[in-house]
Amino acid sequence: RVERVVSFKRTVDSYVDRSVGNGWIRPVVSAVSLVLGTMFFNHVLCCVLYIAGSEIYDEPGCGEYEQNRCGWVNRMEYRPETGLLTRYTDSFYFTFTILTTVGFGDITAHSTMERMTTVVAMTAGCAIFGIVMGQITAVIHGMNMGLQHYEERVRELEQYMRFRDVN
């Protein structure tokens, strides 16, 4: 599957390079690529955090005095018929709030493994935020460069028309 993703990315990159190289398509592809990459990273982290919150600290009783022994999955008190999609959605939501450093507090890390995972996720979230801001800055700078290039070409054309005495 990873090979397919890499192959698809190469295909898209070659298409972007052959098509409108400095037009509007490059920033759009860059933004979409960044969003998809962030979502994929969130998916991987979501799976890791679910494992950290369930299998490693999977104990039946989560009493008042055993709070540190129960993972976030046990604290959610899922019923046996709760589907995998619901559990995945909760885990994805949890990791997304961690990555964005919002952390609403409705799902929290209690075990050591969960806390270590969330610290790594918060650090990655800060890095992703920096990358996103850099991409936005590059897109805006590229737009300005395109406008400057356009204005320069218009000035050159005006000079040529004056030189040839065209009204």
Side-chain angles (χ1 to χ4, degrees):
R1 291 182 183 211
V2 173
E3 288 179 19
R4 287 188 210 164
V5 171
V6 171
S7 174
F8 178 72
K9 181 166 177 18
R10 286 183 186 148
T11 304
V12 169
D13 287 344
S14 68
Y15 172 74
V16 169
D17 289 339
R18 280 184 275 142
S19 66
V20 188
N22 293 325
W24 61 271
I25 198 167
R26 187 175 297 277
V28 170
V29 169
S30 177
V32 168
S33 175
L34 189 63
V35 168
L36 291 177
T38 303
M39 293 306 233
F40 177 73
F41 180 75
N42 192 38
H43 162 74
V44 170
L45 196 59
C46 151
C47 295
V48 169
L49 197 57
Y50 186 83
I51 291 169
S54 62
E55 290 183 9
I56 297 174
Y57 298 97
D58 192 16
E59 298 189 15
C62 288
E64 199 175 313
Y65 300 104
E66 299 173 341
Q67 293 294 327
N68 290 333
R69 301 178 82 189
C70 296
W72 72 270
V73 175
N74 289 332
R75 290 174 184 276
M76 294 295 286
E77 298 179 356
Y78 291 118
R79 295 188 175 143
E81 65 270 6
T82 302
L84 185 60
L85 181 63
T86 301
R87 293 170 188 251
Y88 178 79
T89 303
D90 289 344
S91 184
F92 196 83
Y93 163 78
F94 184 28
T95 56
F96 204 76
T97 59
I98 292 170
L99 279 178
T100 58
T101 65
V102 173
F104 292 119
D106 53 346
I107 304 175
T108 55
H110 292 277
S111 67
T112 303
M113 182 61 94
E114 290 173 335
R115 288 183 179 141
M116 288 172 35
T117 306
T118 55
V119 166
V120 168
M122 285 184 233
T123 305
C126 291
I128 290 171
F129 179 76
I131 291 169
V132 167
M133 289 297 111
Q135 287 286 344
I136 290 172
T137 302
V139 166
I140 291 172
H141 180 71
M143 288 178 172
N144 287 340
M145 292 300 291
L147 182 61
Q148 288 175 356
H149 180 69
Y150 171 76
E151 290 173 350
E152 181 181 327
R153 299 290 290 175
V154 168
R155 278 193 301 274
E156 289 174 0
L157 183 60
E158 288 173 348
Q159 288 175 352
Y160 178 76
M161 290 175 69
R162 274 194 299 270
F163 176 73
R164 293 289 181 188
D165 200 23
V166 176
N167 289 331

